[in-house]
Amino acid sequence: MSSQTLILASLFVAIISIAIFIFVSRRKSRAKRNLVVLIGPSNSGKTAIFSSLVYGHAVPTITSMQANSSFLDLPGKRDPIQIVDVPGHPRLRDQFKDFLSSAKALAFVVDANTASRNTAVVAEHLHTVLDAIMAIPPSQPLPTLLILAHKCDLIKTSSLSADTSALAVTRVQTILERELERRKLSQSGGMGVEALGDENNNEKLNMGGLDCRGPGGTFKFENWEGGEVVFLGTSVQSSRSDEKSVKGSIAPLMDWIEENM
Ligand SMILES: Nc1nc2c(ncn2[C@@H]2O[C@H](COP(=O)(O)OP(=O)(O)OP(=O)(O)O)[C@@H](O)[C@H]2O)c(=O)[nH]1
Ligand SMILES: [Mg+2]
């Protein structure tokens, strides 16, 4: 065999090997994305949602000091869905970053009933999540950001027939958009924004992640440049006797998982 043929044969083998490697690693990264990560402030209801998804009912909880992880088998799905519940404690909440490359969805849980009182804390926490998603390299698929307006059962309405879930979603979305726009303006004015979660971490003062398309770039989730944001209204407990079963109240999240994973 001439040396030219040998070089051509080696090149051919190298190209085939690279093609096989890329094919296998793409399949792997697609197969891995069966994960939903529950994140958000302390006491918002992440562990209650986790146990409702995994065990079918909410269990009594205390403040989580470590992440919970379990699998959910759904009819018609080949692979089980992994659910991870990351504690909201300021020193532990950044653990969600470990799952960024494999998560299909990050579910940011907000207590819709107290969101207006805790706006600054909730928005600062969400800002760290938006910043982390925007920092994902373009070669990696972006997780969908689900924002769960949770504890819908506690929303007070004048009419019994009102859709508390829709009210909770509108309330949470409006509050967060307003506060994130405020943070964006403070940053662009060179004033910096508060890092409420961990007062020792100065990096957070320069967080990005709020870029939006459209005139003026006003912060709106539908125009956010970091990918898809979906709002869902959920609850795991019922304070009204005429309401659906506990499992039914996380139905919007379950439906999203069934349709998208
Ligand atoms: N009314 C009502 N209460 C809820 C709901 N979901 C959770 N809770 C209550 O809210 C409290 C906090 O819930 P957790 O699930 O422990 O909150 P968490 O987000 O895991 O909090 P950390 O572990 O500290 O991050 C508990 O007392 C729950 O019973 C809900 O849908 N409705
Ligand atoms: Mg918890």
Side-chain angles (χ1 to χ4, degrees), residues 12 15 32 42 56 72 75 84 100 143 156 158 181 218 243-244:
F12 181 73
I15 289 168
K32 265 198 294 181
S42 212
L72 176 64
V84 171
L100 273 179
K156 291 186 181 63
S158 46
E181 173 64 8
T218 308
E243 265 182 343
K244 296 173 217 153

Side-chain angles (χ1 to χ4, degrees), residues 40-49 61-64 85-89 150-154 234-237:
S42 212
N43 211 39
S44 56
K46 299 175 295 295
T47 307
I49 295 174
T61 56
I62 52 165
T63 300
S64 306
D85 159 31
V86 174
H89 188 285
H150 189 56
K151 305 194 190 180
C152 289
D153 56 299
L154 298 178
T234 53
S235 70
V236 297
Q237 284 175 1

